[in-house]
Amino acid sequence: MRPARGALAGVGMLLVLVGLVAGVANREVLDADRFASHVDAVRSDPDVARQVGALLTDRLIEDQPDLVAVRPLIESTAASVVASPALGPVVRAGVAPLYDALVLGDDGAVVLRLADVGAVVVGALAFAAPQASVPPDLDVRLSQVGGQEGSAVGAVHWVELLAWLCPLLGALLLGAAGALTSGPRSARVREAVRRVGVGVATAGLVLSGLLVVVGFWADRLSHDTVRGAVRHAVWRELDGPLWAAAGIAVALGALLAVAAGVTDWPRLRDVRGLVDLDRSPRRLAARAAVLGAVGVALVLQPSRVATVVLALLGVGLVAVAVVSLTVAIGRSPRRRTGVLAIAVALVAAVSLAAWPGDHELAAATSVAPREGCNGHVELCTRRYDEVAYPATHNSMAAASEPGWFFPEQPDGIVAQLDHGIRVLLIDSWYGQATDRPGVIAGTDAQRAASLAEAEVDLGPAAVRSAQRVRDAAGLTPQGPVEPYLCHALCELGSTHWLQSLRDVHAWLGAHPDEVVTFFVQDEVSPADTAALIEEAGLLPYVYTPVGDDWPTLGQMIASGKRLVVLMENHDGGTAYPWLMAGFEEAQDTPFLFRRPALLTTAASCAPNRGTPDASLFLLNHWVTDKTAEVTNAERVNAADVLLTRARACQRARGMLPNYVAVDFYDRGDLFAVVDELNGF
């Protein structure tokens, strides 16, 4: 009888193990959305992108051998394009027919052609290295999967079947092994449940051991070939779900074993018990196998095994709690049923907490990029100056941030970016901290200029308010002079510019498919502005003009140069060519409108600042009446006013309004109007 029980238990455990692997494959590979997400994550893996970029470069140089002179530039550009989030929709669309062929049995040929990648590489290269002669009709093919005569549909259906059938059969066999023991019926039932728990937990532990071995092998795969890089990336995609399945199996099995009525909890022995040789050969061999496996796992995968050990410790604590509860309430069958219900609830809670959710699936890239460029795939092929962008006037003057008098936006710069603003009109001034926390004073050197601007933009009341704030509080400037974002008078509100730039740096890192623009009224010198941008880590993102034409949004995103910095007063010259002269690149409309009705006149579209041949058009659309700013914003930002004026100015000036700048962007229909201007 004992050999039969052992055979049933062994086969049952193996079936559970197969079911665990099949279940992960069914969930992660045979689900269309997850399959596409995994493929896209593999494509954007840095090692994969680097190797594919090298292959694309080889193909380019085969067609144009002279390009070998700029090979490092080509390879870097190609790798950036391959890894670009802007290609996500292209890749996922290319994966769809492959998924259909594998799962649905579509017999049509499946070709994962990324000729679009080649086209983007060619465009980006022409922008980054205009001296390189690249054939515009170059056809680049990343990979090809031939006809599907050997369709995997049969195997797919087997996986779907094994995912539920194997665990069920395994549990039945494990239970049968326990039921074959002698004794009363209740004892056999408890033994059956215990055997199921032990078998499931053992399957989870065996899977953990296999994952350690495979992970050790995968970590040592060469990343210097496409095949090795892809294998490593694929393993990283499936590694987490497999470990989650193993952990849940161990937790489920342990809790079932405890719920079966195990109350004689073993006491912990001292360390000498681990090396006690006064045992039977069978127990010594089993202990040696377990300790050896754990030791090897700790050597090969220390961090992963440490995570599993901590998880098992948590399961053990839950098991101790259930055992303690069992002892506390006695051995009544009815009460034991209650304990079993509690154990099942705990198993469900642990399983739900351990299993990775959909949001964790996309965490492989640390960000969750949106599709397309600035939210639209269609914008990827348009030049920067062919796109309309939602913009905010005096972006730093935020009602939600402390210390701002006369705010002109509802919230701060990062919140505006989160909500879709892509052009930030900001004013930079020098200021000093004062003896009043949170209040910044403008410098004496800029006092006259700031008061004059405040008189024009904010009105005499704002000037008197600033003077009263400073005089009544007896503000005493102290500490170093630093750059701040202020609307002329820092006493009426300020934002520390360096910290703001650091926040934007973090935002850009988390949103890799967005192009953002600063339009700065710069009372801070170009040298100090450049130093701030570099200190904030933004320099790798800053766009430097190349040639006369703007790149497309897709090219900017692929190159990483997706922060445009325009300066109103002083450009960066040859020292900082990326600090561009704003009104050589852009022209605008008037901006001093005291009443909403003035925005509906033809004069509101008249030329104001900027050269006539500037390619960008800034539409200034706000009312300067500070007594009714929110009300006016709600009125003039409505589509019937804003879109009507934008179209009128487009006809009058013969230019698309690129920067549609408003106050209180959350009032009215700014985003809908910009979409309309972009043709959506």
Side-chain angles (χ1 to χ4, degrees):
M1 187 66 71
R2 178 173 294 181
R5 291 200 303 268
L8 288 174
V11 174
M13 185 273 293
L14 287 176
L15 286 173
V16 172
L17 177 62
V18 172
L20 289 175
V21 176
V24 171
N26 186 51
R27 185 177 191 271
E28 301 299 326
V29 179
L30 304 186
D31 178 272
D33 291 336
R34 290 187 176 86
F35 179 75
S37 295
H38 288 313
V39 171
D40 194 32
V42 169
R43 183 268 311 174
S44 59
D45 179 85
D47 290 326
V48 174
R50 178 168 55 86
Q51 293 303 322
V52 174
L55 284 181
L56 293 171
T57 302
D58 290 341
R59 181 65 182 271
L60 285 167
I61 292 177
E62 284 177 11
D63 282 277
Q64 293 289 323
D66 290 340
L67 291 179
V68 71
V70 290
R71 181 186 177 100
L73 175 60
I74 300 173
E75 195 165 320
S76 174
T77 301
S80 297
V81 170
V82 171
S84 170
L87 286 178
V90 176
V91 173
R92 287 189 287 272
V95 168
L98 174 61
Y99 177 84
D100 291 342
L102 291 176
V103 179
L104 303 180
D106 185 352
D107 290 332
V110 177
V111 180
L112 288 183
R113 292 174 52 89
L114 292 188
D116 291 335
V117 175
V120 178
V121 169
V122 171
L125 180 61
F127 164 61
Q131 74 277 11
S133 176
V134 181
D137 57 347
L138 185 65
D139 175 25
V140 181
R141 180 171 298 183
L142 175 62
S143 63
Q144 179 174 347
V145 179
Q148 299 300 304
E149 290 82 1
S151 175
V153 175
V156 166
H157 291 315
W158 272 108
V159 170
E160 293 175 340
L161 178 65
L162 294 176
W164 66 267
L165 183 59
C166 282
L168 177 61
L169 291 177
L172 290 175
L173 291 178
L174 290 167
L180 290 177
T181 59
S182 59
R185 180 178 179 183
S186 60
R188 292 200 305 273
V189 170
R190 287 198 302 273
E191 180 62 15
V193 174
R194 189 188 71 82
R195 285 293 184 107
V196 171
V198 171
V200 171
T202 303
L205 291 173
V206 171
L207 179 57
S208 300
L210 293 174
L211 293 177
V212 169
V213 174
V214 176
F216 178 75
W217 168 78
D219 285 345
R220 279 148 185 79
L221 286 174
S222 172
H223 297 185
D224 295 331
T225 65
V226 172
R227 178 172 295 182
V230 168
R231 284 178 176 175
H232 190 265
V234 168
W235 174 248
R236 280 206 309 231
E237 283 297 296
L238 296 178
D239 184 42
L242 285 168
W243 274 105
I248 290 173
V250 173
L252 175 63
L255 291 176
L256 280 177
V258 170
V262 178
T263 58
D264 185 17
W265 194 257
R267 297 181 179 178
L268 295 177
R269 307 293 183 181
D270 58 20
V271 179
R272 289 177 299 176
L274 293 175
V275 295
D276 182 12
L277 301 180
D278 189 18
R279 299 285 183 91
S280 67
R282 181 178 176 183
R283 291 190 176 185
L284 286 174
R287 186 174 62 185
V290 172
L291 294 178
V294 173
V296 171
L298 283 170
V299 172
L300 299 182
Q301 297 277 295
S303 60
R304 180 68 75 181
V305 174
T307 301
V308 174
V309 169
L310 289 174
L312 292 177
L313 177 61
V315 173
L317 293 176
V318 173
V320 170
V322 174
V323 170
S324 301
L325 184 60
T326 303
V327 175
I329 65 176
R331 304 194 177 199
S332 166
R334 293 181 60 186
R335 292 180 176 178
R336 188 174 294 116
T337 301
V339 173
L340 181 60
I342 294 173
V344 171
L346 287 171
V347 169
V350 171
S351 300
L352 289 174
W355 191 258
D358 291 344
H359 67 281
E360 296 175 15
L361 189 68
T365 58
S366 77
V367 296
R370 289 156 46 180
E371 293 186 356
C373 303
N374 282 34
H376 296 279
V377 174
E378 297 87 346
L379 297 183
C380 292
T381 57
R382 296 188 195 177
R383 292 198 317 268
Y384 175 84
D385 57 349
E386 295 174 334
V387 177
Y389 308 88
T392 49
H393 165 237
N394 283 334
S395 309
M396 66 286 171
S400 65
E401 297 186 357
W404 275 101
F405 291 86
F406 308 112
E408 287 162 299
Q409 302 303 332
D411 42 31
I413 286 175
V414 171
Q416 293 173 36
L417 292 172
D418 285 339
H419 295 150
I421 297 299
R422 293 296 174 264
V423 179
L424 303 161
L425 278 58
I426 53 179
D427 298 359
S428 66
W429 294 78
Y430 290 107
Q432 282 181 281
T434 67
D435 53 351
R436 184 175 176 183
V439 177
I440 303 300
T443 62
D444 291 336
Q446 293 184 325
R447 176 64 47 187
S450 63
L451 289 174
E453 181 173 325
E455 285 275 4
V456 173
D457 291 350
L458 302 177
V463 175
R464 290 194 297 269
S465 296
Q467 290 173 331
R468 283 197 299 268
V469 167
R470 182 167 186 170
D471 295 341
L475 297 177
T476 302
Q478 55 189 20
V481 173
E482 296 182 89
Y484 287 86
L485 299 180
C486 313
H487 193 187
L489 296 170
C490 291
E491 291 87 347
L492 295 182
S494 65
T495 298
H496 194 260
W497 197 8
L498 177 59
Q499 184 57 53
S500 182
L501 290 173
R502 286 172 173 161
D503 293 341
V504 172
H505 173 268
W507 190 91
L508 285 171
H511 298 80
D513 53 354
E514 302 291 338
V515 176
V516 173
T517 300
F518 288 156
F519 208 138
V520 187
Q521 179 186 326
D522 49 318
E523 303 299 333
V524 172
S525 71
D528 287 345
T529 301
L532 287 173
I533 289 175
E534 185 170 4
E535 186 176 353
L538 281 168
L539 198 53
Y541 290 114
V542 176
Y543 167 74
T544 301
V546 178
D548 296 329
D549 293 330
W550 288 92
T552 65
L553 294 195
Q555 290 169 343
M556 297 176 77
I557 289 171
S559 68
K561 304 296 185 179
R562 49 193 178 88
L563 175 62
V564 177
V565 183
L566 302 175
M567 313 290 281
E568 286 192 16
N569 300 325
H570 310 285
D571 62 35
T574 57
Y576 318 107
W578 38 272
L579 295 178
M580 292 181 282
F583 287 113
E584 290 181 9
E585 304 292 340
Q587 50 186 288
D588 74 343
T589 66
F591 55 84
L592 293 176
F593 302 102
R594 302 296 182 187
R595 301 187 308 278
L598 296 176
L599 287 167
T600 63
T601 65
S604 73
C605 297
N608 187 32
R609 298 168 293 182
T611 59
D613 59 347
S615 63
L616 297 168
F617 183 20
L618 166 61
L619 184 73
N620 298 311
H621 190 86
W622 60 84
V623 178
T624 56
D625 179 6
K626 298 302 175 186
T627 64
E629 198 151 32
V630 175
T631 302
N632 285 334
E634 190 160 4
R635 178 177 173 183
V636 302
N637 293 351
D640 58 346
V641 177
L642 179 55
L643 183 59
T644 299
R645 181 175 179 236
R647 292 299 192 195
C649 292
Q650 185 175 12
R651 291 190 297 270
R653 303 285 286 272
M655 300 178 69
L656 171 72
N658 300 106
Y659 305 154
V660 183
V662 302
D663 284 345
F664 287 93
Y665 72 93
D666 60 325
R667 304 300 178 115
D669 306 300
L670 170 64
F671 298 106
V673 168
V674 169
D675 282 346
E676 181 77 17
L677 293 173
N678 282 323
F680 303 130

